[in-house]
Amino acid sequence: MPTFHRGHTTIAYTDTGVPEGREDAPVVFFAHGLLFSGWMFHRQIEHLRADYRCVTIDFRGQGNSPRARGGYDMDTLAVDVAELLRHLQIPVVNFVGLSMGGFVGMRLAARQPESVHTLTLMDTAATAEEPANRSKYKTLSKVYRLTGVRPLRARVAPIMLAPGNIDAPWVEDWLAALDRTDRAGLAKAIESVADRDPCEDEAVRIIAPTLIMVGAEDAATPPAKSRRLEELIANTSFHEIPGAGHSPSMERPDEVNAILSAFLSEYNA
């Protein structure tokens, strides 16, 4: 997997490149949720790569990006994305962010509107984490740092997935990837998400056409929080995904692909 360096930080990414015969193809940039990596969008990339250049990032301490000295906060991650795009000489993207990726995407769209042509926000919110959740996630982070994810499966899976998807075949691949992740780095990422600042004041400045999707059974970011984004962002469309929890790109990929394709086609004709 290719990497780029920002100071002392190494950040992994993937890039499908320009589709054959489509030198002017738009770019779709995917930003993953906590405990995942760019891998969580592989079904969307398979679906889109014939018509779009698809790029993913692995945030600091997650996926194939090693532990960083610091800078796990959402503001720094937004700069990481901007620097990666500069490194790849990509001036504008269709940004797709799930949960933590959405926290980053909203900041980028508000601060650098010229770089975000469309914005897709999945299972995310502009608010700070609820105090009860913040405490729970920090406790899980401490335990994970000592034991790894396997002993926590029964507590983590219901947060990330709808009940009917907890034993899906791909879940084992996800847990195996977490087993390979540096625990200290991922623990810092968890704590930074738990402690994130709200960005409602920035969300109201977003001008990019915005698609909002949320799993109907999302326990981590319930649909009502995604509905709040409709009130903050001027140009939005909203879709609730039946049978999905906090990770619909993996739980209900066909439904997500259909909705995302239609949205991208509308604004990239």
Side-chain angles (χ1 to χ4, degrees), residues 23-91:
E23 296 302 319
D24 61 344
V27 177
V28 182
F29 186 92
F30 294 94
H32 64 87
L34 186 65
L35 305 185
F36 278 95
S37 67
W39 169 81
M40 78 177 312
F41 293 109
H42 71 270
R43 294 289 297 275
Q44 285 68 53
I45 292 171
E46 290 172 12
H47 184 71
L48 294 171
R49 63 182 299 165
D51 297 308
Y52 298 89
R53 178 180 178 182
C54 298
V55 179
T56 73
I57 187 171
D58 284 2
F59 288 121
R60 299 174 178 224
Q62 299 185 74
N64 287 289
S65 291
R67 184 197 323 182
R69 293 182 181 179
Y72 290 84
D73 59 283
M74 302 305 108
D75 290 342
T76 303
L77 299 184
V79 176
D80 285 346
V81 171
E83 289 299 316
L84 173 57
L85 295 178
R86 187 172 294 111
H87 170 76
L88 296 174
Q89 300 182 359
I90 296 173

Side-chain angles (χ1 to χ4, degrees), residues 99 102-103 106 122-127 196 199 221 225-226 229:
S99 190
F103 307 151
M106 283 184 277
M122 301 176 65
D123 299 80
T124 195
T127 52
R196 72 184 183 276
C199 63
T221 309
K225 289 198 171 186
S226 289
L229 294 174

Side-chain angles (χ1 to χ4, degrees), residues 180-221:
R180 296 190 296 270
T181 302
D182 182 284
R183 292 183 192 176
L186 183 52
K188 289 181 180 180
I190 296 169
E191 291 159 11
S192 291
V193 167
D195 287 334
R196 72 184 183 276
D197 292 327
C199 63
E200 292 169 296
D201 59 336
E202 295 199 271
V204 297
R205 303 206 307 269
I206 293 172
I207 59 174
T210 301
L211 168 64
I212 302 168
M213 284 190 275
V214 62
E217 300 177 53
D218 189 342
T221 309

